[in-house]
Amino acid sequence: MLAYFARLNGLPHLEDKAIQARDLDEGDPLNGEEKKELDAALQSLADGVLRRSLKEIRGIALYARIIIMHPMRVLRTVLSHRPLRMVFSLGKLMFAAIAALVLALLSTELWYLGVGINIWRLLLIAAAALLAATVYIVMRQRLYVRRVSRSLSEQAAFFNLTSLLTVFSVLLALFAIVFAITILVTSGVYPRYIVEDWVMRSQVDFGDYVRVSLLISSMAMVVGALGAGLEENEHFRQVMYTEKNR
């Protein structure tokens, strides 16, 4: 068994023969030199896995250190990008979100689904959608510095962190805007007797409008993020980094 495991790790051993199931327990034993080579290969493999794990831990610790040691610097950098202005400067983001909002308001299925979901579950859905949309835009627009050396520098980690938080702030602002529009439209335009007929309930209150608005806003935010992913990378970076100094 040890002999064939050595072969799998690339160690030379006699002639190359096909391995049969019955041969697993009948292989020639390894000599002393081959055992040393096998031990070295296994040690190298274990060391590589351990080093990668330590690098990941150090990377997470570096981000945590930046947040703990320089919270105001991180906040100032994120605010300098003007997330609210970015919402209206990214045309595809806003257009996709508003288009999804209009279509969702006309969907009786979404109304029926919205009033039937618990408010806390809707908040959890909104949070998950916000995080997923943030990661998607950061990866799609390549708003991060890849590690080119063995360790991630503090400057690169700061850039990655502030880029992530900026996109998060943009989507959070978009969600707030869409939610405000949705709650105004649903409560002001759709009479309760129509909604009661749609969702087949005897009574609808303001809490139902809030639940529907949360669901619609979450969907619109995700669609808006897909639209932001279609923005030209140069335009997105110009809006995010260049125009903040104007």
Side-chain angles (χ1 to χ4, degrees):
M1 176 68 77
L2 200 59
Y4 292 111
F5 189 68
R7 288 189 183 183
L8 292 176
N9 282 272
L11 298 179
H13 184 68
L14 301 178
E15 68 273 7
D16 187 12
K17 299 186 295 182
I19 300 176
Q20 303 294 333
R22 64 176 180 272
D23 296 332
L24 290 178
D25 296 324
E26 300 176 359
D28 297 333
L30 296 177
N31 56 38
E33 182 178 352
E34 289 175 331
K35 287 183 179 180
K36 289 181 180 179
E37 292 181 6
L38 179 59
D39 289 340
L42 293 176
Q43 185 66 36
S44 176
L45 177 62
D47 290 344
V49 173
L50 181 60
R51 281 195 296 268
R52 286 194 294 270
S53 300
L54 290 175
K55 287 177 184 178
E56 294 175 358
I57 295 174
R58 290 195 189 107
I60 296 174
L62 181 58
Y63 287 114
R65 177 177 177 275
I66 292 174
I67 295 175
I68 295 173
M69 300 297 295
H70 309 286
M72 297 308 299
R73 182 187 172 194
V74 172
L75 180 62
R76 285 195 300 269
T77 302
V78 172
L79 293 179
S80 70
H81 295 145
R82 300 178 185 177
L84 185 60
R85 176 192 55 79
M86 288 182 62
V87 173
F88 297 99
S89 299
L90 297 171
K92 293 180 180 179
L93 169 73
M94 198 65 181
F95 176 80
I98 295 300
L101 169 62
V102 172
L103 293 176
L105 287 172
L106 301 176
S107 173
T108 58
E109 288 80 5
L110 280 178
W111 282 83
Y112 184 80
L113 182 62
V115 298
I117 301 179
N118 182 274
I119 185 69
W120 297 109
R121 184 173 296 180
L122 285 170
L123 290 174
L124 183 61
I125 292 173
L130 180 60
L131 292 176
T134 299
V135 173
Y136 167 76
I137 293 179
V138 170
M139 300 302 293
R140 177 70 177 179
Q141 295 294 341
R142 299 188 298 277
L143 302 175
Y144 58 92
V145 176
R146 292 185 177 181
R147 183 169 55 193
V148 295
S149 60
R150 291 186 177 181
S151 60
L152 186 67
S153 67
E154 183 171 347
Q155 184 178 4
F158 183 83
F159 174 84
N160 292 343
L161 179 62
T162 53
S163 297
L164 182 71
L165 292 178
T166 298
V167 175
F168 180 87
S169 301
V170 170
L171 292 176
L172 184 61
L174 175 66
F175 180 86
I177 292 171
V178 173
F179 178 79
I181 295 174
T182 306
I183 199 69
L184 289 175
V185 172
T186 54
S187 60
V189 175
Y190 293 87
R192 292 189 179 184
Y193 71 90
I194 293 181
V195 177
E196 290 171 355
D197 183 60
W198 280 359
V199 299
M200 296 180 291
R201 294 179 61 174
S202 59
Q203 186 177 2
V204 172
D205 56 20
F206 184 74
D208 294 316
Y209 286 99
V210 172
R211 285 193 288 270
V212 171
S213 298
L214 280 173
L215 181 61
I216 292 176
S217 300
S218 300
M219 188 191 72
M221 180 186 60
V222 171
V223 176
L226 294 176
L230 298 177
E231 295 276 4
E232 293 293 335
N233 183 258
E234 293 182 1
H235 173 66
F236 197 101
R237 289 176 178 269
Q238 181 182 14
V239 170
M240 186 170 179
Y241 301 118
T242 305
E243 295 185 0
K244 70 177 182 178
N245 297 319
R246 294 183 179 179

